[in-house]
Amino acid sequence: MHHRFKASALALWLAWLPAGPVLAQDGSMQPAPASAGTIEEAASLQTALTAYLTGVPFEKKLLRIEPDPHGHRIVLDPAAVLSDLAGTPVSFAPLSLVVSERDDGTWNVFTRDPVVVSGAFDVEGQTQRFEYSQGSQLFKGVYSPALATFLSAEAQVGTTTNRSNDAVSDSVATIGATRLTVAATPAADGGADVAFTQVYDAVSQTTTVRFPVEEGAPPSSFGFEMGAKGVETRGSLKAARTRPILDLYALVLSNAADLERDAKGTLAGPFGMALKDRLRSVLPLWSSLDGTASARDVKVASLYGEFGIGEASQTVHLSGIAADASFDMDVALRGLAVTTPMMPAWGASLTPDLVELGVAVSGVDLATPLEMALEKADFASDPPLTPQVQADVQAAFAPERIRVRIKPSRIRSRDLDVAFSGEVSLASGLPVSTMAIDVGGLDTAIATLQGAAASDPNLHQAVGMLQFAKGLSRPKDGGRLEWVVVSAGDGSVAINGTMLKGPDEPPALETPDGETPGDEMPAVEVPADEL
């Protein structure tokens, strides 16, 4: 049997576990059928893993591998190591993976061990305690060493609870049953197309903070609660360089001892050149990364009141490290509600109940400067790049190509609706921007503030500013008002074609002797006998 199981399977599993959770318990989920492992095969698998983890985890008995009726069992037992590092007992229930090689060289991976860890630490004379526990956990997947990722995986975790307390605070966070799925397929150039989903049924956190008080005085404390339902994350990576990233990790780990002993000497040798090659191999990281996150019924409550969001969502798109890299993000908060005795009566009609914001950045050359930095870097020097190379790298970003666009966005309250979009460009070498703003309900908002100003004179200034802005507007359909704000490269600012600020004064030029052209020159006296 060819033991090609890579440590990234273990690393991915361990990285996922503390983040918590996924699906409801399903007792029918079992390890994939496989032949029982042998002691010799377990030793061979340990040798393969040592290339990625070094022998230290096995020597410290942090990890062990033993035969299992369904293949082999990789056991993580960190309690002793963590207790030694912390200088105090740490309880950490052992976690195990059951793995078996498939006919096509991929590996079955299975675990049903929940994470249960607790400990107490003394910090500056104060005891801090924590407990983290998963009610149950199941994970089952097929791992590909060639791609260094799971081809398929699903996981389930019951209710997860995280408790912590110290002398002044107590906190309890709970994550309800959640679900995780992962799927990957080979992509071009040895990369992988990876998609994942993770759904939490509900999350909540309650925190109490106690204030120190004098002896005999009544206790003083306050608390706040946060929670959300239907928290969901989805993502996809196209042509992700998963295997080169694993190879880079393995290279650095295999030289960790030499780096600790003599960093400059190690970097100046073959490792430095190999490091550059491995860094180049992981580029462009991926061709695209897309992700979405959303949550329902988000609430934050404290003694100051309650803040709620009916639905919150975010979408992100990232290109890889490319000569024309881009970034795109949209954020939406719908059904916002604020309940607090601190809000004045007029504030309710102007508090947003909808926020939609979007931004897009394009034309960023990340590939050229990064390649230049890798080519010129001397890792044995401090800093690795000379001042001239740093300047060249900065110039290679080509800021004149960068375009920042504010996508159509909106902030709406009961009485006021503000929509805006715009663009910033550096094509001329100086920032030039155009922003279009249109508003509905401005007269209603002004009237609301004017009425409130009778009892709160401080609002007169806000009323005056809104009236001044209204004077610069132009009408649009539906009774809305519009402002088009143009900021030119010369520093001038115009609103709806009216110059609000003129161009900046050009900087004064100095002559070699320090005088400014145009200054009066001193009179030259001519002897009378020369007239």
Side-chain angles (χ1 to χ4, degrees), residues 13 18 46 83 146 149 152 194 200 205 208 224 235 261 279 298 329 332 338 371 410 468 472 502 516:
W13 180 69
Q46 178 171 325
S83 298
T149 187
S152 63
V194 184
Y200 299 75
Q205 181 172 355
T208 302
F224 60 90
R261 183 179 61 256
L279 287 170
V298 180
M329 181 177 68
V338 179
E371 176 56 36
R410 188 181 186 189
F468 174 74
L472 296 172
T516 301

Side-chain angles (χ1 to χ4, degrees), residues 5-82:
F5 178 86
K6 302 303 180 184
S8 57
L10 179 63
L12 176 59
W13 180 69
L14 294 176
W16 165 74
L17 286 176
V22 244
L23 275 165
Q25 176 83 342
D26 180 358
S28 65
M29 189 182 284
Q30 299 291 334
S35 301
T38 65
I39 295 177
E40 292 76 13
E41 290 169 344
S44 177
L45 179 55
Q46 178 171 325
T47 299
L49 281 173
T50 298
Y52 291 88
L53 300 175
T54 75
V56 174
F58 298 102
E59 295 165 4
K60 292 183 174 292
K61 302 187 184 306
L62 175 66
L63 282 177
R64 65 177 184 272
I65 300 176
E66 54 197 35
D68 184 90
H70 293 89
H72 297 89
R73 184 175 295 271
I74 303 173
V75 181
L76 171 66
D77 190 0
V81 173
L82 291 176

Side-chain angles (χ1 to χ4, degrees), residues 174-350:
T174 303
I175 302 175
T178 61
R179 297 165 292 281
L180 172 71
T181 62
V182 179
T185 55
D189 300 326
D193 293 338
V194 184
F196 70 89
T197 63
Q198 182 162 309
V199 180
Y200 299 75
D201 285 349
V203 298
S204 65
Q205 181 172 355
T206 301
T207 301
T208 302
V209 179
R210 298 178 295 276
F211 294 108
V213 295
E214 296 182 1
E215 186 176 353
S220 177
S221 65
F222 75 92
F224 60 90
E225 298 179 0
M226 299 182 292
K229 297 179 181 177
V231 180
E232 181 174 321
T233 303
R234 296 179 181 273
S236 66
L237 286 161
K238 298 296 185 184
R241 307 294 292 162
T242 48
R243 179 54 195 258
I245 290 172
L246 175 61
D247 291 341
L248 172 63
Y249 155 80
L251 174 69
V252 174
L253 189 63
S254 64
N255 287 269
D258 292 337
L259 287 167
E260 185 175 357
R261 183 179 61 256
D262 180 12
K264 281 192 173 183
T266 303
L267 288 165
F271 170 72
M273 295 302 297
L275 180 60
K276 286 188 178 184
D277 290 340
R278 293 288 173 87
L279 287 170
R280 287 189 179 96
S281 70
V282 305
L283 299 177
L285 297 180
W286 51 71
S287 62
S288 67
L289 182 156
D290 292 275
T292 64
S294 63
R296 295 181 288 103
D297 297 335
V298 180
K299 293 188 183 301
V300 179
S302 71
L303 56 85
Y304 300 106
E306 184 174 292
F307 172 72
I309 304 173
E311 181 183 5
S313 63
Q314 177 179 336
T315 62
V316 175
H317 169 82
L318 284 170
S319 69
I321 305 297
D324 188 16
S326 61
F327 166 77
D328 196 297
M329 181 177 68
D330 292 279
V331 176
L333 306 174
R334 301 181 177 90
L336 279 76
V338 179
T339 305
T340 172
M342 304 177 67
M343 180 184 292
W346 56 266
S349 65
L350 298 177

Side-chain angles (χ1 to χ4, degrees), residues 100-124:
S100 60
E101 190 172 17
R102 297 158 62 97
D103 292 339
D104 60 0
T106 61
W107 285 72
N108 297 309
V109 182
F110 176 85
T111 183
R112 62 157 47 94
D113 295 340
V115 179
V116 180
V117 56
S118 62
F121 304 92
D122 185 77
V123 179
E124 298 181 353

